[in-house]
C-alpha cells in the first residue's frame, strides 16, 4: 500500500487539487448574484463608467433587492461606437428584455427599434410627459416610449459627459403586466429618478 501511494502520490495530489478547484468554481458560480438593475448605454459619446460606479450608491438607494441576496446593485454597460450604423448593430444585440432593464441611446436608434415593441410606455414612470417638460418619442399609436435626457445634470454627475441627442427608455417584455419582475419595477423607479434628476 505504501509503495502504491509513493508511486501515485503526485497523481493523487494533482487530482485532489483539480477537484478542489472545480468545487470552488461551482460554488462561486452558484452564489453569483444578478444585478438588481442593468443599464445599457450605446452612443457615440464616451461615458465614464468608473465615475458611475463611484457614485451609483445614490441611485441604488431607490432599488429593491430583486434577487433576494440582501444587496442592492445597479450596473452600467457602456458601449461607445463611431457611427450610427455601428450603434444600430450593437443595439440589435444588446437591447433585449433579458439583458437590459434601461437603455440609453440616440433618437435615431430608438426610432429604428420602436416597432420591436420592447419599450415600456413612459406614463408608467413619468407622470407629466404631456406638459412639455421633457422631449419625448412616440410610436405610431401616439404612445410615449422614450424620454430625452439632454442636459440631465444628474447623469452628468454620474459620468455621462455629453447627453446631447440621448434618450432613455425602460426595456420590458409586457408593459401591461401586473406581475412585473422586481428588476423591471426597479427600472421604472430608476427611470423616474434619472429623468426628474432625483427630484421624485
Amino acid at each position: 500500500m505504501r509503495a502504491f501511494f509513493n508511486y501515485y502520490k503526485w497523481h493523487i495530489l494533482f487530482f485532489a487539487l483539480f477537484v478542489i478547484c472545480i468545487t470552488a468554481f461551482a460554488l462561486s458560480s452558484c452564489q453569483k448574484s444578478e444585478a438588481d438593475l442593468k443599464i445599457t448605454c450605446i452612443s457615440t459619446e464616451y461615458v465614464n463608467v468608473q465615475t458611475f460606479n463611484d457614485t451609483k450608491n445614490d441611485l441604488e438607494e431607490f432599488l429593491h433587492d430583486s434577487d433576494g441576496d440582501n444587496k442592492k446593485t445597479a450596473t452600467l454597460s457602456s458601449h461607445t461606437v463611431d457611427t450610427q450604423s455601428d450603434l444600430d448593430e450593437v443595439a440589435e444585440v444588446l437591447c433585449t428584455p433579458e439583458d437590459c432593464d434601461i437603455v440609453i441611446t440616440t433618437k435615431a436608434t430608438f426610432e429604428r427599434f420602436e416597432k420591436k415593441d420592447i419599450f415600456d410606455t413612459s406614463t408608467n414612470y413619468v407622470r407629466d410627459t404631456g406638459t412639455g417638460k421633457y422631449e419625448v418619442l412616440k410610436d405610431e399609436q401616439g404612445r410615449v416610449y422614450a424620454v430625452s435626457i439632454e442636459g440631465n445634470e444628474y447623469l452628468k454627475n454620474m459620468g455621462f459627459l455629453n447627453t446631447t441627442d440621448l434618450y432613455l427608455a425602460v426595456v420590458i417584455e409586457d408593459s401591461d403586466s401586473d406581475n412585473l419582475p422586481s428588476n423591471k419595477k426597479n427600472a421604472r423607479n430608476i427611470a423616474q429618478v434619472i429623468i426628474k434628476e432625483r427630484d421624485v
Side-chain angles (χ1 to χ4, degrees), residues 33-34 38 54 63 78 86 93 95 100 149 156 161 180-181 193:
S33 59
E34 285 286 322
K38 292 177 279 191
D54 290 342
L63 291 177
S78 178
D86 290 341
V93 175
C95 290
C100 174
I149 55 168
K156 183 178 179 181
L161 305 180
L180 288 176
V193 169

Side-chain angles (χ1 to χ4, degrees), residues 61-76:
E61 286 180 26
F62 298 92
L63 291 177
H64 301 288
D65 178 15
S66 65
D67 59 1
D69 66 351
N70 296 317
K71 298 176 184 175
K72 295 196 242 181
T73 55
T75 61
L76 170 65

Side-chain angles (χ1 to χ4, degrees), residues 136-188:
V136 298
L137 298 179
K138 297 181 180 180
D139 62 18
E140 292 178 347
Q141 287 74 42
R143 187 182 71 113
V144 175
Y145 67 91
V147 181
S148 173
I149 55 168
E150 184 169 350
N152 188 294
E153 289 296 321
Y154 186 65
L155 281 181
K156 183 178 179 181
N157 292 333
M158 296 191 77
F160 289 74
L161 305 180
N162 185 356
T163 55
T164 303
D165 193 42
L166 290 184
Y167 287 72
L168 175 151
V170 172
V171 182
I172 205 162
E173 201 135 30
D174 181 5
S175 61
D176 298 322
S177 173
D178 293 327
N179 299 307
L180 288 176
S182 293
N183 61 311
K184 298 305 179 182
K185 292 177 182 176
N186 276 333
R188 285 179 173 176

